[in-house]
PDB file of all heavy atoms in Angstrom:
ATOM      1  N   VAL S 568      20.510 -96.435 256.835  1.00 98.00           N
ATOM      2  CA  VAL S 568      21.690 -95.671 257.247  1.00 98.00           C
ATOM      3  C   VAL S 568      21.485 -94.231 256.780  1.00 98.00           C
ATOM      4  O   VAL S 568      20.834 -93.985 255.757  1.00 98.00           O
ATOM      5  CB  VAL S 568      23.023 -96.213 256.662  1.00 98.00           C
ATOM      6  CG1 VAL S 568      23.365 -97.560 257.259  1.00 98.00           C
ATOM      7  CG2 VAL S 568      22.978 -96.294 255.140  1.00 98.00           C
ATOM      8  N   ILE S 569      22.008 -93.291 257.573  1.00 98.00           N
ATOM      9  CA  ILE S 569      21.923 -91.878 257.182  1.00 98.00           C
ATOM     10  C   ILE S 569      23.164 -91.566 256.364  1.00 98.00           C
ATOM     11  O   ILE S 569      24.284 -91.626 256.872  1.00 98.00           O
ATOM     12  CB  ILE S 569      21.810 -90.978 258.440  1.00 98.00           C
ATOM     13  CG1 ILE S 569      20.496 -91.296 259.172  1.00 98.00           C
ATOM     14  CG2 ILE S 569      21.879 -89.498 258.057  1.00 98.00           C
ATOM     15  CD1 ILE S 569      20.338 -90.617 260.513  1.00 98.00           C
ATOM     16  N   THR S 570      22.969 -91.291 255.078  1.00 98.00           N
ATOM     17  CA  THR S 570      24.116 -91.084 254.188  1.00 98.00           C
ATOM     18  C   THR S 570      24.537 -89.623 254.139  1.00 98.00           C
ATOM     19  O   THR S 570      25.637 -89.305 253.723  1.00 98.00           O
ATOM     20  CB  THR S 570      23.795 -91.582 252.764  1.00 98.00           C
ATOM     21  OG1 THR S 570      22.535 -91.023 252.377  1.00 98.00           O
ATOM     22  CG2 THR S 570      23.704 -93.089 252.727  1.00 98.00           C
ATOM     23  N   ASP S 571      23.627 -88.730 254.529  1.00 98.00           N
ATOM     24  CA  ASP S 571      23.987 -87.311 254.647  1.00 98.00           C
ATOM     25  C   ASP S 571      23.249 -86.789 255.866  1.00 98.00           C
ATOM     26  O   ASP S 571      22.019 -86.785 255.890  1.00 98.00           O
ATOM     27  CB  ASP S 571      23.562 -86.555 253.374  1.00 98.00           C
ATOM     28  CG  ASP S 571      23.747 -85.032 253.501  1.00 98.00           C
ATOM     29  OD1 ASP S 571      24.405 -84.580 254.465  1.00 98.00           O
ATOM     30  OD2 ASP S 571      23.224 -84.309 252.626  1.00 98.00           O
ATOM     31  N   GLY S 572      23.996 -86.395 256.882  1.00 98.00           N
ATOM     32  CA  GLY S 572      23.379 -85.903 258.118  1.00 98.00           C
ATOM     33  C   GLY S 572      23.748 -84.459 258.405  1.00 98.00           C
ATOM     34  O   GLY S 572      23.685 -84.022 259.546  1.00 98.00           O
ATOM     35  N   GLY S 573      24.128 -83.735 257.371  1.00 97.00           N
ATOM     36  CA  GLY S 573      24.518 -82.332 257.556  1.00 97.00           C
ATOM     37  C   GLY S 573      26.013 -82.166 257.608  1.00 97.00           C
ATOM     38  O   GLY S 573      26.761 -83.150 257.469  1.00 97.00           O
ATOM     39  N   ASP S 574      26.465 -80.930 257.793  1.00 97.00           N
ATOM     40  CA  ASP S 574      27.892 -80.639 257.702  1.00 97.00           C
ATOM     41  C   ASP S 574      28.555 -80.406 259.053  1.00 97.00           C
ATOM     42  O   ASP S 574      29.509 -81.075 259.409  1.00 97.00           O
ATOM     43  CB  ASP S 574      28.094 -79.410 256.798  1.00 97.00           C
ATOM     44  CG  ASP S 574      27.525 -79.652 255.411  1.00 97.00           C
ATOM     45  OD1 ASP S 574      28.041 -80.542 254.719  1.00 97.00           O
ATOM     46  OD2 ASP S 574      26.536 -78.985 255.029  1.00 97.00           O
ATOM     47  N   GLN S 575      28.053 -79.429 259.808  1.00 98.00           N
ATOM     48  CA  GLN S 575      28.604 -79.171 261.150  1.00 98.00           C
ATOM     49  C   GLN S 575      27.492 -78.574 261.998  1.00 98.00           C
ATOM     50  O   GLN S 575      26.582 -77.932 261.466  1.00 98.00           O
ATOM     51  CB  GLN S 575      29.836 -78.280 261.063  1.00 98.00           C
ATOM     52  CG  GLN S 575      29.597 -76.945 260.382  1.00 98.00           C
ATOM     53  CD  GLN S 575      30.896 -76.158 260.211  1.00 98.00           C
ATOM     54  OE1 GLN S 575      31.809 -76.614 259.532  1.00 98.00           O
ATOM     55  NE2 GLN S 575      30.969 -74.994 260.841  1.00 98.00           N
ATOM     56  N   PRO S 576      27.575 -78.750 263.334  1.00 98.00           N
ATOM     57  CA  PRO S 576      26.417 -78.423 264.182  1.00 98.00           C
ATOM     58  C   PRO S 576      25.971 -76.965 264.148  1.00 98.00           C
ATOM     59  O   PRO S 576      24.792 -76.692 264.364  1.00 98.00           O
ATOM     60  CB  PRO S 576      26.901 -78.818 265.580  1.00 98.00           C
ATOM     61  CG  PRO S 576      27.955 -79.831 265.350  1.00 98.00           C
ATOM     62  CD  PRO S 576      28.635 -79.422 264.088  1.00 98.00           C
ATOM     63  N   ASN S 577      26.874 -76.023 263.889  1.00 98.00           N
ATOM     64  CA  ASN S 577      26.449 -74.619 263.958  1.00 98.00           C
ATOM     65  C   ASN S 577      25.805 -74.121 262.668  1.00 98.00           C
ATOM     66  O   ASN S 577      25.454 -72.952 262.557  1.00 98.00           O
ATOM     67  CB  ASN S 577      27.622 -73.715 264.351  1.00 98.00           C
ATOM     68  CG  ASN S 577      28.727 -73.732 263.306  1.00 98.00           C
ATOM     69  OD1 ASN S 577      28.799 -74.650 262.489  1.00 98.00           O
ATOM     70  ND2 ASN S 577      29.567 -72.717 263.311  1.00 98.00           N
ATOM     71  N   VAL S 578      25.644 -75.004 261.692  1.00 98.00           N
ATOM     72  CA  VAL S 578      24.946 -74.653 260.453  1.00 98.00           C
ATOM     73  C   VAL S 578      23.721 -75.567 260.343  1.00 98.00           C
ATOM     74  O   VAL S 578      23.872 -76.795 260.302  1.00 98.00           O
ATOM     75  CB  VAL S 578      25.852 -74.841 259.218  1.00 98.00           C
ATOM     76  CG1 VAL S 578      25.106 -74.463 257.946  1.00 98.00           C
ATOM     77  CG2 VAL S 578      27.130 -74.030 259.354  1.00 98.00           C
ATOM     78  N   VAL S 579      22.532 -74.981 260.334  1.00 98.00           N
ATOM     79  CA  VAL S 579      21.322 -75.803 260.199  1.00 98.00           C
ATOM     80  C   VAL S 579      21.443 -76.596 258.886  1.00 98.00           C
ATOM     81  O   VAL S 579      21.682 -76.012 257.827  1.00 98.00           O
ATOM     82  CB  VAL S 579      20.053 -74.914 260.177  1.00 98.00           C
ATOM     83  CG1 VAL S 579      18.815 -75.741 259.843  1.00 98.00           C
ATOM     84  CG2 VAL S 579      19.870 -74.210 261.518  1.00 98.00           C
ATOM     85  N   PRO S 580      21.331 -77.933 258.958  1.00 98.00           N
ATOM     86  CA  PRO S 580      21.562 -78.759 257.760  1.00 98.00           C
ATOM     87  C   PRO S 580      20.558 -78.473 256.631  1.00 98.00           C
ATOM     88  O   PRO S 580      19.356 -78.651 256.821  1.00 98.00           O
ATOM     89  CB  PRO S 580      21.408 -80.186 258.271  1.00 98.00           C
ATOM     90  CG  PRO S 580      21.610 -80.116 259.741  1.00 98.00           C
ATOM     91  CD  PRO S 580      21.090 -78.763 260.153  1.00 98.00           C
TER      92      PRO S 580
END
Side-chain angles (χ1 to χ4, degrees):
V568 292
I569 296 173
T570 50
D571 173 12
D574 301 296
Q575 57 185 62
N577 64 341
V578 180
V579 172

